[in-house]
Amino acid sequence: MHPILKPALRRGWRDLNTIQFGVAPAHALVLGPVDTATGSFLQLLDGTRGLPLLREEGRRMGLPDDHVDKLVRRLSGAGLLDDATGGGSAADALRKRDQAMDRLRPDLASLSVTTAGPGDGMRKLAARRAMRVQVRGAGRVGAVVASVLSGAGVGQVDVLDGGVVEPRDVAPGGHPAEAIGDRRDAAARRGVRQWAPDRPPRRGRRAAGAARALGAAEELGGTGATRAAREEEPALSLVVIAPRDGLDAHAPDPLAAEPLVSSGTPHLYAGVIEGTGVVGPLVLPGATACAGCLALDRADRDPTWPRMLAQWRSGRARHVTACDLALSTTVAGLAAAHALAFLDGAAPASAGVRWEASVPGLDWHARPVSPHLSCPCGAGVVDKGEHPAGDKEPHDTMAG
Protein backbone atom coordinates (compact mmCIF):
# COMPACT_ATOMS: atom_id res chain seq x y z
CA MET A 1 0.00 0.00 0.00
CA HIS A 2 1.19 3.51 -0.90
CA PRO A 3 -1.07 5.82 1.16
CA ILE A 4 -2.10 9.16 -0.32
CA LEU A 5 -4.43 11.76 1.15
CA LYS A 6 -7.23 12.10 -1.36
CA PRO A 7 -5.99 14.94 -3.57
CA ALA A 8 -9.49 15.98 -4.63
CA LEU A 9 -10.25 17.11 -1.07
CA ARG A 10 -8.72 20.54 -0.45
CA ARG A 11 -7.12 20.90 2.97
CA GLY A 12 -7.14 23.90 5.29
CA TRP A 13 -6.35 24.59 8.94
CA ARG A 14 -9.42 25.70 10.88
CA ASP A 15 -7.12 26.59 13.80
CA LEU A 16 -3.66 25.57 15.08
CA ASN A 17 -4.82 22.02 15.89
CA THR A 18 -7.66 21.25 13.45
CA ILE A 19 -7.61 20.43 9.73
CA GLN A 20 -10.62 20.45 7.43
CA PHE A 21 -10.59 18.15 4.41
CA GLY A 22 -12.95 19.18 1.62
CA VAL A 23 -14.89 22.33 0.80
CA ALA A 24 -18.40 21.16 -0.14
CA PRO A 25 -20.55 20.05 2.84
CA ALA A 26 -21.40 16.73 1.18
CA HIS A 27 -17.87 15.35 1.64
CA ALA A 28 -16.09 17.68 4.08
CA LEU A 29 -14.51 16.19 7.22
CA VAL A 30 -12.61 17.68 10.14
CA LEU A 31 -9.54 16.11 11.76
CA GLY A 32 -8.38 17.15 15.20
CA PRO A 33 -6.59 17.65 17.40
CA VAL A 34 -3.44 17.47 15.28
CA ASP A 35 -0.05 18.15 16.85
CA THR A 36 2.74 19.86 14.92
CA ALA A 37 4.67 16.66 14.17
CA THR A 38 1.59 14.84 12.88
CA GLY A 39 0.65 17.85 10.75
CA SER A 40 4.09 17.77 9.16
CA PHE A 41 3.90 14.01 8.66
CA LEU A 42 0.65 14.33 6.70
CA GLN A 43 2.65 16.01 3.92
CA LEU A 44 4.43 12.67 3.35
CA LEU A 45 1.19 10.89 2.48
CA ASP A 46 1.51 11.63 -1.23
CA GLY A 47 1.48 8.10 -2.69
CA THR A 48 5.23 7.87 -3.27
CA ARG A 49 6.06 5.86 -0.13
CA GLY A 50 5.01 2.50 1.19
CA LEU A 51 4.27 1.85 4.85
CA PRO A 52 7.81 0.66 5.78
CA LEU A 53 9.35 3.90 4.53
CA LEU A 54 6.61 5.97 6.19
CA ARG A 55 7.37 4.29 9.51
CA GLU A 56 11.04 5.21 9.14
CA GLU A 57 10.12 8.80 8.35
CA GLY A 58 7.86 8.87 11.39
CA ARG A 59 10.64 7.70 13.68
CA ARG A 60 12.95 10.41 12.32
CA MET A 61 10.28 12.99 13.16
CA GLY A 62 10.01 11.70 16.73
CA LEU A 63 6.61 10.04 16.38
CA PRO A 64 5.85 6.98 18.55
CA ASP A 65 6.49 3.57 16.95
CA ASP A 66 2.82 2.71 16.34
CA HIS A 67 1.68 6.26 15.58
CA VAL A 68 2.00 5.96 11.78
CA ASP A 69 -0.03 2.75 11.57
CA LYS A 70 -2.74 4.13 13.84
CA LEU A 71 -2.91 7.35 11.84
CA VAL A 72 -3.14 5.48 8.53
CA ARG A 73 -5.93 3.25 9.87
CA ARG A 74 -7.90 6.21 11.20
CA LEU A 75 -7.52 8.23 8.01
CA SER A 76 -8.53 5.20 5.96
CA GLY A 77 -11.56 4.52 8.18
CA ALA A 78 -12.67 8.13 7.74
CA GLY A 79 -12.48 7.85 3.95
CA LEU A 80 -9.67 10.38 3.65
CA LEU A 81 -6.99 8.02 2.39
CA ASP A 82 -6.42 6.44 -0.99
CA ASP A 83 -3.90 3.88 -2.22
CA ALA A 84 -1.78 4.97 -5.15
CA THR A 85 -1.17 1.33 -6.11
CA GLY A 86 -4.54 -0.19 -5.17
CA GLY A 87 -7.53 -1.39 -7.17
CA GLY A 88 -6.41 -4.82 -8.35
CA SER A 89 -5.03 -6.17 -11.61
CA ALA A 90 -7.48 -4.31 -13.88
CA ALA A 91 -6.48 -1.05 -12.21
CA ASP A 92 -2.80 -1.89 -12.68
CA ALA A 93 -3.42 -2.47 -16.39
CA LEU A 94 -5.23 0.85 -16.72
CA ARG A 95 -2.41 2.72 -14.95
CA LYS A 96 -0.04 1.56 -17.67
CA ARG A 97 -2.13 3.33 -20.31
CA ASP A 98 -0.72 6.81 -19.82
CA GLN A 99 -2.88 8.54 -22.41
CA ALA A 100 -6.08 7.09 -20.98
CA MET A 101 -5.10 7.95 -17.41
CA ASP A 102 -4.27 11.54 -18.37
CA ARG A 103 -7.84 11.85 -19.67
CA LEU A 104 -9.47 10.03 -16.76
CA ARG A 105 -7.67 11.58 -13.79
CA PRO A 106 -10.49 14.07 -13.06
CA ASP A 107 -12.97 11.17 -13.07
CA LEU A 108 -10.70 9.17 -10.78
CA ALA A 109 -10.42 12.12 -8.40
CA SER A 110 -14.21 12.34 -8.27
CA LEU A 111 -14.57 8.60 -7.63
CA SER A 112 -12.00 8.81 -4.84
CA VAL A 113 -14.22 11.36 -3.09
CA THR A 114 -17.33 9.18 -3.30
CA THR A 115 -15.67 5.89 -2.29
CA ALA A 116 -14.45 5.04 1.18
CA GLY A 117 -11.78 2.36 0.88
CA PRO A 118 -8.24 2.98 -0.41
CA GLY A 119 -8.08 1.96 -4.08
CA ASP A 120 -11.87 1.71 -4.47
CA GLY A 121 -12.06 4.67 -6.86
CA MET A 122 -9.45 3.20 -9.20
CA ARG A 123 -11.14 -0.20 -9.00
CA LYS A 124 -14.45 1.29 -10.12
CA LEU A 125 -12.82 3.30 -12.90
CA ALA A 126 -11.08 0.19 -14.22
CA ALA A 127 -14.31 -1.82 -13.99
CA ARG A 128 -16.06 0.62 -16.35
CA ARG A 129 -13.70 -0.50 -19.10
CA ALA A 130 -15.22 -3.99 -19.12
CA MET A 131 -18.84 -2.80 -19.21
CA ARG A 132 -21.21 -2.68 -22.16
CA VAL A 133 -23.93 -0.04 -22.39
CA GLN A 134 -26.44 0.36 -25.18
CA VAL A 135 -27.94 3.76 -26.03
CA ARG A 136 -31.18 3.65 -28.00
CA GLY A 137 -31.64 6.92 -29.81
CA ALA A 138 -29.04 9.18 -31.42
CA GLY A 139 -30.63 12.60 -31.42
CA ARG A 140 -29.71 15.63 -29.35
CA VAL A 141 -29.94 13.64 -26.12
CA GLY A 142 -28.84 10.12 -27.04
CA ALA A 143 -25.73 11.01 -29.04
CA VAL A 144 -24.46 13.19 -26.19
CA VAL A 145 -25.18 10.49 -23.60
CA ALA A 146 -23.20 7.98 -25.66
CA SER A 147 -20.23 10.34 -26.00
CA VAL A 148 -20.18 11.15 -22.28
CA LEU A 149 -20.30 7.49 -21.25
CA SER A 150 -17.49 6.66 -23.63
CA GLY A 151 -15.42 9.63 -22.47
CA ALA A 152 -15.92 8.57 -18.84
CA GLY A 153 -14.28 5.23 -19.53
CA VAL A 154 -17.12 2.83 -20.36
CA GLY A 155 -15.41 0.31 -22.60
CA GLN A 156 -18.23 -0.56 -24.99
CA VAL A 157 -21.02 1.88 -25.89
CA ASP A 158 -23.37 0.69 -28.63
CA VAL A 159 -25.77 3.13 -30.29
CA LEU A 160 -28.98 2.11 -32.06
CA ASP A 161 -31.08 4.39 -34.24
CA GLY A 162 -32.37 4.69 -37.77
CA GLY A 163 -32.36 7.32 -40.47
CA VAL A 164 -29.74 9.92 -41.18
CA VAL A 165 -28.41 12.88 -39.22
CA GLU A 166 -30.51 15.98 -39.83
CA PRO A 167 -29.58 19.59 -39.04
CA ARG A 168 -31.84 19.46 -35.98
CA ASP A 169 -29.78 16.57 -34.54
CA VAL A 170 -26.56 18.58 -34.34
CA ALA A 171 -25.46 19.37 -30.79
CA PRO A 172 -22.21 20.09 -28.92
CA GLY A 173 -20.82 16.78 -27.72
CA GLY A 174 -23.13 14.92 -30.08
CA HIS A 175 -23.40 15.04 -33.86
CA PRO A 176 -21.18 17.65 -35.55
CA ALA A 177 -22.46 19.60 -38.54
CA GLU A 178 -20.19 17.53 -40.79
CA ALA A 179 -22.27 14.43 -39.97
CA ILE A 180 -25.45 15.77 -41.59
CA GLY A 181 -26.62 13.19 -44.11
CA ASP A 182 -24.71 10.30 -42.50
CA ARG A 183 -26.47 7.38 -40.84
CA ARG A 184 -27.37 8.37 -37.30
CA ASP A 185 -26.08 5.21 -35.64
CA ALA A 186 -22.81 5.22 -37.57
CA ALA A 187 -22.24 8.92 -36.83
CA ALA A 188 -22.93 8.40 -33.11
CA ARG A 189 -20.52 5.48 -32.99
CA ARG A 190 -17.83 7.65 -34.53
CA GLY A 191 -18.43 10.09 -31.70
CA VAL A 192 -18.13 7.27 -29.19
CA ARG A 193 -14.75 6.31 -30.62
CA GLN A 194 -13.62 9.93 -30.81
CA TRP A 195 -14.33 10.64 -27.14
CA ALA A 196 -13.05 7.34 -25.74
CA PRO A 197 -9.93 7.88 -23.55
CA ASP A 198 -8.19 5.17 -25.57
CA ARG A 199 -9.05 2.10 -27.57
CA PRO A 200 -11.64 -0.08 -25.85
CA PRO A 201 -10.93 -3.78 -25.16
CA ARG A 202 -10.51 -5.51 -28.49
CA ARG A 203 -13.41 -7.57 -29.79
CA GLY A 204 -13.05 -10.37 -32.26
CA ARG A 205 -14.60 -10.24 -35.72
CA ARG A 206 -17.47 -12.48 -34.63
CA ALA A 207 -18.34 -10.23 -31.70
CA ALA A 208 -18.11 -7.09 -33.84
CA GLY A 209 -20.30 -8.68 -36.49
CA ALA A 210 -22.73 -9.79 -33.83
CA ALA A 211 -23.02 -6.21 -32.57
CA ARG A 212 -23.98 -5.00 -36.04
CA ALA A 213 -26.43 -7.89 -36.47
CA LEU A 214 -27.96 -7.19 -33.08
CA GLY A 215 -28.49 -3.54 -33.93
CA ALA A 216 -30.06 -4.38 -37.28
CA ALA A 217 -32.26 -7.10 -35.81
CA GLU A 218 -33.57 -4.94 -33.00
CA GLU A 219 -34.20 -2.05 -35.37
CA LEU A 220 -36.25 -4.34 -37.62
CA GLY A 221 -37.97 -6.09 -34.73
CA GLY A 222 -36.40 -9.46 -35.53
CA THR A 223 -36.26 -12.27 -32.98
CA GLY A 224 -34.18 -15.16 -34.31
CA ALA A 225 -31.37 -12.95 -35.56
CA THR A 226 -31.49 -10.98 -32.33
CA ARG A 227 -31.05 -14.12 -30.23
CA ALA A 228 -28.20 -15.34 -32.39
CA ALA A 229 -26.42 -12.01 -32.18
CA ARG A 230 -26.84 -11.79 -28.42
CA GLU A 231 -25.11 -15.15 -28.00
CA GLU A 232 -21.91 -13.54 -29.32
CA GLU A 233 -22.12 -10.30 -27.32
CA PRO A 234 -21.27 -9.69 -23.65
CA ALA A 235 -24.27 -9.00 -21.44
CA LEU A 236 -25.56 -5.48 -21.29
CA SER A 237 -24.82 -3.66 -18.06
CA LEU A 238 -27.41 -0.99 -18.86
CA VAL A 239 -29.62 0.31 -21.67
CA VAL A 240 -30.26 4.06 -21.94
CA ILE A 241 -33.45 4.79 -23.85
CA ALA A 242 -33.16 8.32 -25.25
CA PRO A 243 -35.62 8.53 -28.16
CA ARG A 244 -35.58 11.48 -30.52
CA ASP A 245 -39.33 11.77 -30.00
CA GLY A 246 -39.58 12.86 -26.37
CA LEU A 247 -43.07 11.38 -26.07
CA ASP A 248 -41.46 7.94 -26.02
CA ALA A 249 -39.42 8.97 -22.96
CA HIS A 250 -42.29 10.74 -21.20
CA ALA A 251 -44.77 7.92 -21.91
CA PRO A 252 -42.62 4.89 -22.85
CA ASP A 253 -44.23 2.00 -24.68
CA PRO A 254 -44.47 -1.05 -22.35
CA LEU A 255 -44.33 -3.44 -25.32
CA ALA A 256 -41.03 -1.99 -26.50
CA ALA A 257 -39.54 -2.41 -23.03
CA GLU A 258 -40.92 -5.91 -22.43
CA PRO A 259 -37.79 -7.74 -23.71
CA LEU A 260 -35.65 -5.69 -21.32
CA VAL A 261 -37.95 -6.42 -18.39
CA SER A 262 -38.17 -10.13 -19.15
CA SER A 263 -34.39 -10.44 -19.55
CA GLY A 264 -33.74 -8.51 -16.35
CA THR A 265 -31.80 -5.75 -18.13
CA PRO A 266 -31.63 -2.44 -16.23
CA HIS A 267 -32.72 0.50 -18.36
CA LEU A 268 -32.96 4.27 -17.95
CA TYR A 269 -35.24 6.68 -19.80
CA ALA A 270 -34.19 10.20 -20.84
CA GLY A 271 -35.57 12.77 -23.26
CA VAL A 272 -37.16 16.13 -23.92
CA ILE A 273 -40.87 16.58 -24.53
CA GLU A 274 -41.92 20.07 -25.61
CA GLY A 275 -40.24 22.27 -22.97
CA THR A 276 -39.73 19.59 -20.31
CA GLY A 277 -36.66 17.45 -19.71
CA VAL A 278 -37.14 13.94 -18.34
CA VAL A 279 -34.56 11.68 -16.69
CA GLY A 280 -35.80 8.37 -15.32
CA PRO A 281 -37.10 6.19 -14.16
CA LEU A 282 -34.19 3.82 -13.90
CA VAL A 283 -35.91 0.46 -14.17
CA LEU A 284 -34.42 -2.42 -12.21
CA PRO A 285 -36.63 -5.29 -13.42
CA GLY A 286 -38.46 -6.97 -10.59
CA ALA A 287 -37.42 -4.29 -8.11
CA THR A 288 -38.63 -0.91 -9.38
CA ALA A 289 -41.52 0.28 -11.52
CA CYS A 290 -41.33 -0.22 -15.28
CA ALA A 291 -42.96 1.41 -18.31
CA GLY A 292 -46.01 -0.82 -17.81
CA CYS A 293 -46.41 0.39 -14.24
CA LEU A 294 -46.13 3.97 -15.44
CA ALA A 295 -48.82 3.47 -18.10
CA LEU A 296 -51.23 1.68 -15.76
CA ASP A 297 -50.82 4.27 -13.02
CA ARG A 298 -51.42 7.15 -15.42
CA ALA A 299 -54.54 5.46 -16.81
CA ASP A 300 -55.86 4.95 -13.27
CA ARG A 301 -55.44 8.66 -12.53
CA ASP A 302 -56.70 9.86 -15.91
CA PRO A 303 -59.10 7.51 -17.76
CA THR A 304 -58.72 9.55 -20.95
CA TRP A 305 -54.93 9.08 -21.01
CA PRO A 306 -54.87 5.97 -23.27
CA ARG A 307 -57.10 7.73 -25.82
CA MET A 308 -54.93 10.85 -25.81
CA LEU A 309 -51.75 8.82 -26.05
CA ALA A 310 -53.05 6.90 -29.05
CA GLN A 311 -53.72 10.18 -30.84
CA TRP A 312 -50.27 11.56 -30.01
CA ARG A 313 -48.64 8.37 -31.28
CA SER A 314 -50.60 8.32 -34.52
CA GLY A 315 -48.70 8.36 -37.78
CA ARG A 316 -49.87 11.80 -38.81
CA ALA A 317 -47.12 14.19 -39.92
CA ARG A 318 -45.84 16.44 -37.17
CA HIS A 319 -43.86 19.63 -37.17
CA VAL A 320 -40.29 19.59 -35.88
CA THR A 321 -40.49 18.65 -32.21
CA ALA A 322 -39.38 21.16 -29.58
CA CYS A 323 -35.99 20.30 -28.10
CA ASP A 324 -34.22 23.23 -26.47
CA LEU A 325 -30.46 22.74 -26.95
CA ALA A 326 -29.44 23.77 -23.44
CA LEU A 327 -32.20 21.63 -21.91
CA SER A 328 -31.33 18.58 -24.03
CA THR A 329 -27.66 18.93 -23.08
CA THR A 330 -28.61 19.18 -19.41
CA VAL A 331 -30.82 16.09 -19.70
CA ALA A 332 -28.04 14.16 -21.43
CA GLY A 333 -25.52 15.11 -18.76
CA LEU A 334 -27.83 14.18 -15.90
CA ALA A 335 -28.81 10.90 -17.57
CA ALA A 336 -25.14 10.00 -18.13
CA ALA A 337 -24.34 10.85 -14.50
CA HIS A 338 -27.17 8.61 -13.25
CA ALA A 339 -26.02 5.85 -15.59
CA LEU A 340 -22.42 6.06 -14.35
CA ALA A 341 -23.56 6.09 -10.72
CA PHE A 342 -25.49 2.88 -11.35
CA LEU A 343 -22.59 1.26 -13.24
CA ASP A 344 -20.27 2.15 -10.35
CA GLY A 345 -22.54 0.33 -7.91
CA ALA A 346 -24.42 3.23 -6.35
CA ALA A 347 -28.20 3.65 -6.09
CA PRO A 348 -28.96 6.79 -8.14
CA ALA A 349 -31.98 8.88 -7.27
CA SER A 350 -33.62 7.92 -10.58
CA ALA A 351 -34.31 4.33 -9.43
CA GLY A 352 -38.10 4.25 -9.37
CA VAL A 353 -38.18 8.04 -9.77
CA ARG A 354 -38.55 10.38 -12.71
CA TRP A 355 -36.77 13.74 -12.57
CA GLU A 356 -38.35 16.57 -14.55
CA ALA A 357 -37.45 20.18 -15.27
CA SER A 358 -39.13 22.65 -17.59
CA VAL A 359 -37.85 25.78 -19.29
CA PRO A 360 -37.48 28.57 -18.47
CA GLY A 361 -37.42 27.94 -14.71
CA LEU A 362 -35.43 24.66 -14.82
CA ASP A 363 -36.59 23.66 -11.35
CA TRP A 364 -35.79 19.95 -11.10
CA HIS A 365 -38.30 17.94 -9.12
CA ALA A 366 -38.77 14.23 -8.46
CA ARG A 367 -41.88 12.27 -9.38
CA PRO A 368 -41.84 8.81 -7.74
CA VAL A 369 -43.04 6.00 -10.01
CA SER A 370 -44.76 3.28 -8.00
CA PRO A 371 -44.97 -0.38 -9.05
CA HIS A 372 -48.49 -1.25 -10.18
CA LEU A 373 -50.16 -4.31 -8.72
CA SER A 374 -51.65 -5.21 -12.13
CA CYS A 375 -48.34 -5.02 -13.99
CA PRO A 376 -46.75 -8.39 -14.80
CA CYS A 377 -43.23 -7.04 -14.17
CA GLY A 378 -43.38 -8.23 -10.55
CA ALA A 379 -41.79 -5.16 -9.03
CA GLY A 380 -43.91 -5.56 -5.91
CA VAL A 381 -43.52 -3.12 -3.08
CA VAL A 382 -41.83 0.19 -3.90
CA ASP A 383 -38.22 0.47 -2.73
CA LYS A 384 -38.21 4.00 -1.41
CA GLY A 385 -34.43 4.26 -1.83
CA GLU A 386 -32.44 7.36 -1.01
CA HIS A 387 -33.28 10.94 -1.88
CA PRO A 388 -30.93 13.89 -2.11
CA ALA A 389 -30.25 15.40 1.29
CA GLY A 390 -30.01 19.09 1.91
CA ASP A 391 -26.73 20.85 2.58
CA LYS A 392 -25.05 19.89 5.80
CA GLU A 393 -22.09 21.24 7.65
CA PRO A 394 -18.75 19.38 7.72
CA HIS A 395 -18.74 16.95 10.64
CA ASP A 396 -15.94 16.17 13.01
CA THR A 397 -14.08 12.90 12.76
CA MET A 398 -11.24 11.27 14.61
CA ALA A 399 -11.24 13.84 17.40
CA GLY A 400 -9.09 13.00 20.38
Side-chain angles (χ1 to χ4, degrees):
M1 180 179 180
H2 283 60
I4 178 173
L5 289 170
K6 293 184 175 179
L9 294 175
R10 299 169 186 251
R11 300 196 296 273
W13 289 86
R14 296 177 67 91
D15 53 45
L16 293 177
N17 300 299
T18 311
I19 305 176
Q20 178 170 321
F21 294 80
V23 177
H27 302 107
L29 294 170
V30 173
L31 169 64
V34 179
D35 58 70
T36 302
T38 300
S40 299
F41 178 80
L42 291 176
Q43 305 301 317
L44 303 180
L45 300 178
D46 59 2
T48 63
R49 303 169 180 84
L51 280 173
L53 183 55
L54 286 172
R55 295 186 188 106
E56 292 181 17
E57 297 284 358
R59 283 193 289 270
R60 289 196 197 98
M61 299 172 69
L63 296 175
D65 289 341
D66 60 347
H67 187 78
V68 170
D69 290 276
K70 287 182 178 179
L71 180 63
V72 167
R73 284 196 297 270
R74 294 170 74 186
L75 289 169
S76 177
L80 295 173
L81 207 62
D82 211 340
D83 181 2
T85 59
S89 57
D92 291 338
L94 181 55
R95 284 192 188 93
K96 295 176 181 177
R97 307 185 76 87
D98 294 338
Q99 181 179 350
M101 282 307 304
D102 287 343
R103 290 270 300 274
L104 292 170
R105 287 193 195 283
D107 302 271
L108 175 59
S110 177
L111 283 170
S112 75
V113 171
T114 59
T115 54
D120 284 351
M122 188 65 186
R123 183 178 294 108
K124 290 180 181 294
L125 186 65
R128 289 180 183 179
R129 188 172 169 79
M131 293 179 178
R132 176 180 170 230
V133 175
Q134 184 182 89
V135 179
R136 299 186 178 181
R140 280 189 164 187
V141 174
V144 176
V145 169
S147 294
V148 172
L149 294 178
S150 178
V154 177
Q156 185 175 339
V157 181
D158 303 330
V159 186
L160 303 182
D161 206 343
V164 298
V165 177
E166 300 179 25
R168 61 187 177 183
D169 296 320
V170 173
H175 295 300
E178 302 80 52
I180 294 174
D182 296 343
R183 284 180 47 184
R184 278 198 185 92
D185 56 355
R189 290 167 191 159
R190 286 200 302 271
V192 165
R193 292 191 297 271
Q194 174 188 353
W195 294 108
D198 68 342
R199 294 180 181 178
R202 193 174 185 82
R203 290 187 290 168
R205 291 184 178 179
R206 292 184 65 189
R212 290 191 293 271
L214 178 58
E218 290 183 336
E219 189 173 317
L220 296 172
T223 54
T226 303
R227 286 194 297 271
R230 280 185 178 139
E231 292 174 359
E232 302 292 340
E233 277 288 89
L236 285 166
S237 303
L238 177 69
V239 172
V240 180
I241 303 174
R244 284 176 285 116
D245 185 347
L247 180 64
D248 292 331
H250 181 75
D253 184 357
L255 291 178
E258 197 282 329
L260 296 175
V261 174
S262 61
S263 64
T265 304
H267 47 289
L268 172 70
Y269 292 95
V272 175
I273 176 72
E274 297 165 353
T276 297
V278 176
V279 176
L282 168 63
V283 180
L284 307 176
T288 65
C290 69
C293 297
L294 188 64
L296 290 167
D297 177 70
R298 187 60 187 264
D300 287 346
R301 291 186 289 110
D302 181 1
T304 67
W305 177 253
R307 182 185 310 123
M308 299 298 296
L309 194 56
Q311 295 175 62
W312 292 329
R313 285 177 174 166
S314 68
R316 291 176 298 177
R318 294 188 297 271
H319 296 294
V320 174
T321 55
C323 189
D324 179 87
L325 181 57
L327 179 60
S328 67
T329 304
T330 301
V331 167
L334 186 60
H338 280 251
L340 289 168
F342 171 74
L343 295 173
D344 292 336
S350 55
V353 176
R354 178 192 293 183
W355 289 87
E356 296 181 0
S358 300
V359 291
L362 293 174
D363 180 20
W364 286 97
H365 53 274
R367 295 188 182 277
V369 182
S370 301
H372 198 281
L373 294 178
S374 300
C375 185
C377 73
V381 179
V382 175
D383 180 4
K384 295 182 180 179
E386 299 180 358
H387 296 278
D391 283 353
K392 57 183 179 180
E393 293 302 317
H395 55 279
D396 292 347
T397 182
M398 301 182 292

